[in-house]
């Protein structure tokens, strides 16, 4: 119940829902009250921020500092485990396996498989509980890895954790203090590293799913608003809120 409430409140605080709610408030003020000036100001500012958050220069400027914390891992130090954190997913047995991994999940799994191929003998660990689907997040990702050639004997499924803090606790029971590769989205990795290190673990950061674009773009990609770049702003805001909450919790994330 608390987890669902946290997700619901966090979802409302994302740029698109929050700005749409402000626009709705502004329309109510304009149509049904005498507070015309307040309604106009709220509507204008909401529209402006929605526009700005949808533009590539703004969105990627917000996201880039978070994603640049850790560079792409290209090392070959021996490790026994490669941990791939769960993300968005659904499960439809009639789809291609990879189609069941939504948004950030597929890049995490493919980067995990790349690291698996570079580290012969390692085990792949997938995390993530079952939501509204018949299959857990971890098992869905494991089946995608298996479809890409990873033997089932080299796959470990941890399907109890519902968030990153619980993922760190479950991995600690499995791996202990030995070094391992931690694969998750580049924007999620700084917060994930803090959770795992708070458990006394020794994660090696291996970012995936970098989104903030630094290479040249066509002018229309830079000046036209886009749902894709709005999602980049959303990721930056989501991780900022998550980091603030993590710091507010303080000692509660540390090993007892």
């Amino acid at each position: 119940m608390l987890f669902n409430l946290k997700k619901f409140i966090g979802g409302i605080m994302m740029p698109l829902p929050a700005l749409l709610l402000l626009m709705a408030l502004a329309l109510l003020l304009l149509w049904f009250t005498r507070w015309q000036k307040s309604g106009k100001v709220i509507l204008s500012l909401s529209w402006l921020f929605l526009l700005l958050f949808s533009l590539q220069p703004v969105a990627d400027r917000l996201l880039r500092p978070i994603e640049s914390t850790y560079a792409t891992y290209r090392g070959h130090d021996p490790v026994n485990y490669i941990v791939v954190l769960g993300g968005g997913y659904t499960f439809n047995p009639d789809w291609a396996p990879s189609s069941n991994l939504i948004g950030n999940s597929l890049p995490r799994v493919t980067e995990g498989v790349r690291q698996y191929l570079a580290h012969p003998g390692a085990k792949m660990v997938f995390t993530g509980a079952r939501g509204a689907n018949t299959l857990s997040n971890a098992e869905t990702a494991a089946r995608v890895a298996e479809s890409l050639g990873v033997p089932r004997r080299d796959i470990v499924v941890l399907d109890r954790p519902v968030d990153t803090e619980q993922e760190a606790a479950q991995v600690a029971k499995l791996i202990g203090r030995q070094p391992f590769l931690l694969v998750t989205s580049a924007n999620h990795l700084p917060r994930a590293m803090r959770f795992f290190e708070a458990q006394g673990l020794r994660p090696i950061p291996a970012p995936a799913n970098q989104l903030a674009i630094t290479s040249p773009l066509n002018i229309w990609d830079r000046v036209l608003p886009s749902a894709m770049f709005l999602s980049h702003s959303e990721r930056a805001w989501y991780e900022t809120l998550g980091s603030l909450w993590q710091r507010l919790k303080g000692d509660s994330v540390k090993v007892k």
Side-chain angles (χ1 to χ4, degrees):
M1 182 64 181
L2 183 60
F3 174 77
N4 291 334
L5 181 62
K6 180 179 71 172
K7 287 294 184 182
F8 181 76
I9 294 174
I12 291 177
M13 295 176 69
M14 289 300 99
L16 182 58
L19 291 172
L20 288 177
L21 286 174
L22 286 174
M23 289 182 188
L25 173 62
L27 290 174
L28 288 173
L29 294 176
L30 290 171
W31 279 91
F32 301 111
T33 75
R34 297 178 181 178
W35 297 344
Q36 298 294 296
K37 185 175 181 180
S38 297
K40 291 175 182 178
V41 170
I42 294 172
L43 183 60
S44 299
L45 289 177
S46 300
W47 179 88
L48 178 61
F49 277 107
L50 183 59
L51 172 65
L52 291 174
F53 289 151
S54 301
L55 296 175
Q56 187 272 333
V58 175
D60 286 352
R61 180 67 177 269
L62 294 172
L63 187 58
R64 193 175 301 119
I66 303 173
E67 290 195 336
S68 61
T69 305
Y70 299 105
T72 300
Y73 182 75
R74 295 186 173 89
H76 294 280
D77 295 337
V79 292
N80 293 323
Y81 292 96
I82 300 167
V83 176
V84 182
L85 300 187
Y89 88 109
T90 185
F91 181 69
N92 186 331
D94 295 327
W95 288 1
S98 61
S99 297
N100 287 308
L101 297 182
I102 300 173
N104 54 18
S105 288
L106 184 57
R108 295 180 186 185
V109 172
T110 54
E111 176 62 13
V113 171
R114 186 179 78 87
Q115 296 296 346
Y116 170 82
L117 295 175
H119 296 83
K123 300 286 186 184
M124 293 196 73
V125 180
F126 295 98
T127 66
R130 180 175 68 86
N133 294 282
T134 57
L135 212 63
S136 71
N137 191 326
E139 179 59 30
T140 303
R143 292 189 183 189
V144 173
E146 195 172 6
S147 74
L148 295 175
V150 180
R152 190 71 196 195
R153 65 178 180 274
D154 288 340
I155 292 175
V156 179
V157 170
L158 300 179
D159 56 7
R160 299 287 298 279
V162 298
D163 57 21
T164 310
E165 187 174 0
Q166 291 186 14
E167 287 174 322
Q170 287 292 306
V171 169
K173 294 177 181 179
L174 173 70
I175 294 178
R177 300 297 186 262
Q178 60 181 303
F180 63 95
L181 292 183
L182 179 61
V183 181
T184 188
S185 301
N187 57 71
H188 178 235
L189 192 53
R191 187 161 58 94
M193 287 288 289
R194 289 192 290 270
F195 275 123
F196 278 78
E197 289 172 345
Q199 290 286 336
L201 300 176
R202 300 169 61 192
I204 301 170
N209 193 36
Q210 289 90 340
L211 298 173
I213 299 172
T214 57
S215 53
L217 286 171
N218 295 312
I219 184 62
W220 53 85
D221 292 321
R222 293 180 57 83
V223 301
L224 293 177
S226 164
M228 180 180 75
F229 294 122
L230 179 59
S231 72
H232 291 193
S233 294
E234 179 182 86
R235 291 310 308 171
W237 183 236
Y238 182 90
E239 287 303 323
T240 300
L241 285 177
S243 293
L244 288 173
W245 176 246
Q246 188 180 43
R247 289 183 170 90
L248 284 173
K249 291 179 68 177
D251 291 340
S252 66
V253 301
K254 296 180 181 179
V255 177
K256 302 292 191 293

